[in-house]
Amino acid sequence: WFGNIVTMDWWDDLWLNEGFASFFEYIGVEEAEPSWAMRDIMIVGDVLPVMVDDALISSHPIIVDVSSPAEITSVFDSISYSKGSSVLRMLEDWMGRDLFRDGCRKYLQDYQFKNAKTENFWASLAEVSGLPVAEVMDTWTKQMGYPVLDLVVSESNAKLNQKRFLLDPSADASLPPSPFRYKWTVPVRWHTVKSNKNTITMFDKSSADHVISAYSLAADGLLKVNKDHIGFYRVNHEDHMWTFISDQLLTNHSVFDAADRSSYMDDVFALSRADVVDYGNAFNLTKYLINESDYIVWNRVSSSIAYVRDMMSNNPQLYPKFQKLFGDLVKPVSAEVGWTDEGTQSQRLLRETVLSISCQMGNTDDLNEASRIFDEWISGTLGSVPVNLRLLVYRYGMKQSGTPEKWNIMFQRYKSSSLAQEKDKLLYGLASVENIQLLSKLLEATKDEAVVRTQDVFTVVRYVSYNPLGQSMAWDWATLNWDYLVNRFTINDRNLGRLLSDITSSYNTESQLWKMTNFFNLNSDAGAGEMPRRQALERVRNNIEWLKSNENEIRTWLESNVGPSRNL
């Protein structure tokens, strides 16, 4: 429908195609499979992941000026797709599902087989609803980023303030200039735990603050602003309220639904990363996880802690403590779900997620089980690994017990497989081997189209970069072969444009930043990589500053709260 029945007028409105496609993927599957809870899956699949990208100063508005082929290519990114779908989700909640659907129908009917702009879509929605859609939504589509709402609770009410949220605490939040000066009109959905109030209110961009007057802490209990993370913003609390939330989760976490628990977890780790709150608040919030068994929460825990894990993984004193903390927290649920691929869709997704965390944290029982299944599969006594456990077994089996002989057997199976999803999993397994020569063989194999399909070349380099042994190797191979890659794919290929950004996301030293800057200066024609290069440099600078600011804070908490490291 979107893009075919109605096509955007110009590339600056690409999101009218891609944001809609991303949003309705979830809505369509939810209609077909109601038990899969796809609206919750959307939170961890699109909303929260793109909030990381959009908190960079090098992000861009959903509606962005486009004037060259390279710029056209570069806007096919997470902002157009995932932020586009996320603001549609927020808009649908504010309008109500029926009115939103009526407005979409009107838009499709009015502009079928024509071209349309975002303002035409807003007008169709306004006509059926009578709501000031453009006035509200322009603040979300014509400026980059999103706000963090500071919530201050008194006995008689609650007050909200807003400011732009950026991951870099030293960044100038007024740049680049915005037509709305980085103020948003925010549909605020809030919920009270004790009295079960569930209300939506508008925080206007022109207001200095917003008072929720129909709320009393004593009568209504804890206040959850941004119920189910329906809005594209974060919420910060005073330190004593973060403690109150942590205590409530420990006492009875089920008073918040899984979407709200995921929201709290993601917000507190993002706010800690941006130096808005102390990391102690974030780690305290995780203590209740020993009782958590919901897929979307563990999915977001995995992503929320990934940044700290990546930054700490080379620290021989702190990383074992970090592993012990989360290894102990995930152990009850990973032991409960086990290694048999059975149950509902949510149970299967939960199993894959928690066993992955367990293996990352060095849980020897789960690593040994991955190796046992892997060896049976390599030897042929097991015909195939259950599909939902396959990636785990391929990765950690190869990492734990990979030999050149086993690697070559897996490589032959990769070459003979005709299923794209299976080939992708096998590539990740091959890239997990702890052997430089075999990693080199895999990278060089990308030059033979008969072995590695053209569309999988960058996937191989990315997977090698995830391997601690291959982190610098992936960069060296890509830059040494840069002319070859440009000749093969062209400088305006968006996947080539993103490659160097993708493989440097966990870089955090001055020498790594130097080699990136040096290479970009020597190869100044970035093509489709212009925006990804800026984002990559900003991300690595942020990583370096993050280590300086947070390493001691995290050390203090881990040393106070985690016992001696041991094999789990």
Side-chain angles (χ1 to χ4, degrees), residues 55-115:
L56 297 173
I57 205 98
S58 51
S59 183
H60 65 83
I62 287 177
I63 301 171
V64 61
D65 288 337
V66 174
S67 57
S68 73
E71 287 177 348
I72 290 169
T73 302
S74 70
V75 295
F76 282 84
D77 66 358
S78 63
I79 301 298
S80 298
Y81 284 74
S82 297
K83 185 179 180 182
S85 65
S86 301
V87 299
L88 287 174
R89 174 176 175 264
M90 175 172 66
L91 173 58
E92 181 201 45
D93 181 69
W94 169 46
M95 292 181 66
R97 291 183 188 181
D98 292 341
L99 276 178
F100 177 76
R101 191 159 297 188
D102 289 346
C104 288
R105 286 196 186 106
K106 178 169 176 52
Y107 166 72
L108 290 173
Q109 288 162 356
D110 288 352
Y111 295 96
Q112 64 176 320
F113 308 121
K114 298 176 187 171
N115 298 86

Side-chain angles (χ1 to χ4, degrees), residues 420-437:
Q421 280 190 317
E422 177 66 3
K423 288 178 88 73
D424 185 72
K425 292 183 176 77
L426 289 164
L427 280 178
Y428 208 153
L430 291 165
S432 301
V433 70
E434 297 193 334
N435 181 311
I436 292 286
Q437 285 72 34

Side-chain angles (χ1 to χ4, degrees), residues 189-191 198 224-231 257 260:
R189 182 168 288 286
W190 55 271
H191 170 77
N198 194 25
K224 175 65 174 92
V225 170
N226 204 13
K227 170 74 179 152
D228 294 340
H229 214 100
I230 201 74
D257 63 23
D260 282 334

Side-chain angles (χ1 to χ4, degrees), residues 138-193:
D138 281 352
T139 66
W140 297 94
T141 56
K142 291 185 175 179
Q143 64 182 347
M144 68 172 80
Y146 57 88
V148 53
L149 305 190
D150 280 310
L151 174 63
V152 177
V153 173
S154 66
E155 280 305 315
S156 57
N157 67 24
K159 185 185 284 188
L160 295 166
N161 292 285
Q162 66 161 291
K163 60 175 180 285
R164 182 186 182 189
F165 178 75
L166 288 167
L167 285 173
D168 179 1
S170 63
D172 186 340
S174 67
L175 294 176
S178 155
F180 302 103
R181 298 183 178 179
Y182 296 106
K183 294 292 181 184
W184 289 262
T185 296
V186 187
V188 178
R189 182 168 288 286
W190 55 271
H191 170 77
T192 57
V193 167

Side-chain angles (χ1 to χ4, degrees), residues 232-295:
F232 197 75
Y233 58 90
R234 298 198 182 280
V235 180
N236 186 29
H237 305 266
E238 297 167 285
D239 279 349
H240 71 276
M241 286 305 295
W242 279 119
T243 302
F244 194 6
I245 293 162
S246 298
D247 291 345
Q248 176 60 69
L249 287 167
L250 274 167
T251 304
N252 178 13
H253 65 272
S254 65
V255 300
F256 302 112
D257 63 23
D260 282 334
R261 301 197 298 273
S262 304
S263 175
Y264 277 133
M265 196 65 65
D266 202 74
D267 277 352
V268 76
F269 271 93
L271 292 162
S272 301
R273 179 173 167 182
D275 217 17
V276 176
V277 302
D278 190 284
Y279 260 102
N281 287 324
F283 285 120
N284 285 333
L285 207 73
T286 66
K287 289 179 178 179
Y288 95 94
L289 289 171
I290 202 151
N291 300 312
E292 181 59 77
S293 59
D294 196 280
Y295 161 64

Side-chain angles (χ1 to χ4, degrees), residues 395-407:
R395 284 178 61 197
Y396 288 100
M398 181 60 77
K399 178 180 168 63
Q400 288 292 107
S401 62
T403 61
E405 294 73 29
K406 292 176 187 177
W407 192 91

Side-chain angles (χ1 to χ4, degrees), residues 364-388:
T364 49
D365 289 344
D366 286 325
L367 287 170
N368 289 341
E369 186 62 12
S371 295
R372 185 190 68 77
I373 299 169
F374 177 77
D375 286 343
E376 285 189 5
W377 173 72
I378 287 287
S379 69
T381 55
L382 179 66
S384 66
V385 180
V387 66
N388 293 295

